[in-house]
Amino acid sequence: MIKTKDFLSKNAMLVILVLVMLLFEALISTSGRGSLFSPENLTNLISQNGYVIILATGMLLCILTGGNIDLSVGSVVILVGAISGIFMVDMKMSPYLSIFLCLVIATLIGAWQAFWIAYVRIPPFVTTLAGMLVFRGLALVIMGSQGIGPFPDSYKALFNSFIPNGGEMIASVSIIIAVVICAVLITIQIVSRMQKMKKGYAVESFVSMVIKLVAVSGIILFVFSRFGQHRGIPVLLVLLGAIVLIYSYYTKNTVPGRYLYAMGGNEKAARLSGVNTKKMMFFAYTNMGFLAGVAALVGVARFNQASTTAGTGFELDAIGSCFIGGASAYGGVGTVGGAVIGAIFMGVLNMGMSILGADQNLQRVIKGLVLLAAVIFDVLSKNRKQAA
């Protein structure tokens, strides 16, 4: 049985996130600036950081292959955003057809870079650095140094609407959905635990599982009840939930997903064991292009225009979220859930300091120190294990 102490050490970032949120809540409340947990702020936290969660999910797969990163995601976001503007604003194309074409283009961009990385063996850092320059330059040429907008209301509604979409039952529907989510989560955890025990695998203690489920269920009920006091559950949250669940299942429960971890552990050994490492590397970077396209579509819907400054620093947010969430700088270690926690942590830092009126430069300093601390912790942990 996995001890409670081990459970806490493995979920240290989640505990730290909760403590940081409580700290900001205390500081904001005592300063008379409202509440971090107000319905409006929780909704804004989702809308402002949705792109980070999407990009961090894709970046994690790249990092798992051996600590590799993609520096071009911000430029892919601005390029796909510009193309979506041409399709929907200039050409008056159907939003659904535009979304499909933009995702195809984003995937092809990812495949272009993946080819050079996986089969020509050009280092990912060099390939994606070139992509960062090329794709942003193309985007600015397409837009003519000015934004494109506004976008059709039917398109914006796809990402900016709420469930339920108005009415007097917002609070009740939000709670019902939260209860259903909690019930499904508890069922999945219990079934998974029983299957692992049946196969003789190590499992966490029953007390640890109960504490985790009670804590997570409590958070879900609280957050959704706050949504019910505002405009309902953001549709964007549903999209994010689907992405997180799909990629969590892929990395944890599929053979190709486990290949990514094997590559990060020892790529040569994985190749000798029969893993097609070139194919897996190609998939990781092609998928990163696809998710960058999704993030671009979410971004232009939120801002109602394809901006010339879009995507700036997005790659740093995605990389930082993965490392803060427990991904190893050497590859082979990390989870989608951890990347999501890291993204939320970054979002809470940004929102909390903004509400408190902290200087933008100070915010950068704090975020940089947090990222450095996460990587230092990873390196020291790896050295400690090797010494043992």
Side-chain angles (χ1 to χ4, degrees):
M1 301 290 281
I2 298 176
K3 297 180 180 179
T4 303
K5 181 179 179 181
D6 295 332
F7 168 79
L8 292 175
S9 65
K10 291 181 179 179
N11 294 273
M13 199 59 230
L14 179 59
V15 176
I16 293 174
L17 172 61
V18 173
L19 294 177
V20 168
M21 294 182 74
L22 293 176
L23 174 61
F24 273 122
E25 173 64 14
L27 293 174
I28 293 171
S29 298
T30 54
S31 65
R33 297 174 183 266
S35 170
L36 179 68
F37 299 131
S38 68
E40 294 82 2
N41 283 337
L42 289 177
T43 300
N44 289 335
L45 184 64
I46 298 299
S47 62
Q48 292 173 7
N49 296 281
Y51 77 90
V52 183
I53 295 175
I54 296 170
L55 294 177
T57 301
M59 190 68 70
L60 175 70
L61 270 60
C62 297
I63 292 174
L64 287 178
T65 61
N68 302 304
I69 57 175
D70 188 339
L71 295 174
S72 69
V73 293
S75 297
V76 176
V77 166
I78 185 177
L79 177 57
V80 175
I83 293 173
S84 69
I86 292 175
F87 286 161
M88 282 182 272
V89 179
D90 295 342
M91 300 175 62
K92 310 297 182 184
M93 191 179 292
S94 163
Y96 297 101
L97 178 59
S98 300
I99 290 173
F100 173 76
L101 292 176
C102 285
L103 292 180
V104 170
I105 292 171
T107 304
L108 291 175
I109 291 174
W112 163 261
Q113 297 193 116
F115 169 77
W116 298 111
I117 293 170
Y119 295 102
V120 186
R121 303 302 291 178
I122 297 177
F125 183 90
V126 176
T127 303
T128 58
L129 177 61
M132 179 176 70
L133 301 174
V134 170
F135 301 138
R136 183 168 290 275
L138 286 175
L140 294 178
V141 169
I142 290 174
M143 290 190 285
S145 298
Q146 62 182 2
I148 302 176
F151 280 72
D153 291 338
S154 58
Y155 170 72
K156 292 185 293 182
L158 294 175
F159 299 101
N160 297 329
S161 56
F162 296 83
I163 301 173
N165 192 13
E168 300 179 355
M169 301 293 291
I170 293 178
S172 300
V173 172
S174 298
I175 291 297
I176 291 173
I177 293 176
V179 171
V180 172
I181 292 174
C182 292
V184 172
L185 177 63
I186 292 172
T187 302
I188 291 175
Q189 288 294 317
I190 293 176
V191 171
S192 176
R193 177 185 172 84
M194 292 175 63
Q195 290 178 343
K196 288 180 179 179
M197 292 178 66
K198 185 177 180 180
K199 295 178 181 179
Y201 296 156
V203 295
E204 62 186 333
S205 68
F206 181 77
V207 174
S208 297
M209 185 187 73
V210 171
I211 293 174
K212 181 175 69 174
L213 290 176
V214 170
V216 172
S217 298
I219 293 173
I220 292 174
L221 290 170
F222 172 76
V223 171
F224 276 63
S225 67
R226 304 299 274 179
F227 287 149
Q229 297 174 20
H230 188 219
R231 300 175 63 185
I233 303 168
V235 169
L236 177 58
L237 182 60
V238 178
L239 172 63
L240 297 178
I243 290 174
V244 170
L245 288 175
I246 290 171
Y247 282 91
S248 292
Y249 181 85
Y250 175 80
T251 54
K252 290 182 179 180
N253 301 100
T254 68
V255 174
R258 303 313 298 177
Y259 284 167
L260 293 172
Y261 287 93
M263 287 178 62
N266 189 319
E267 182 176 354
K268 184 177 180 180
R271 185 170 62 253
L272 293 174
S273 299
V275 177
N276 190 334
T277 55
K278 292 182 179 180
K279 181 179 178 181
M280 295 311 303
M281 185 72 79
F282 184 86
F283 166 76
Y285 279 89
T286 301
N287 175 74
M288 185 71 258
F290 169 77
L291 288 180
V294 176
L297 295 171
V298 169
V300 295
R302 176 172 175 251
F303 294 108
N304 197 23
Q305 72 165 350
S307 171
T308 56
T309 59
T312 303
F314 281 16
E315 60 279 347
L316 302 181
D317 289 336
I319 295 169
S321 297
C322 291
F323 288 142
I324 291 172
S328 172
Y330 302 98
V333 176
T335 63
V336 173
V340 172
I341 291 174
I344 296 175
F345 186 88
M346 298 274 280
V348 170
L349 281 180
N350 289 331
M351 175 172 286
M353 290 188 290
S354 296
I355 295 175
L356 292 173
D359 182 74
Q360 287 286 338
N361 295 321
L362 177 61
Q363 294 184 34
R364 293 190 181 95
V365 171
I366 294 176
K367 288 168 64 178
L369 291 175
V370 169
L371 175 58
L372 178 61
V375 176
I376 290 174
F377 177 79
D378 170 53
V379 173
L380 293 178
S381 298
K382 187 177 183 67
N383 292 338
R384 192 182 307 115
K385 291 179 180 178
Q386 290 177 344

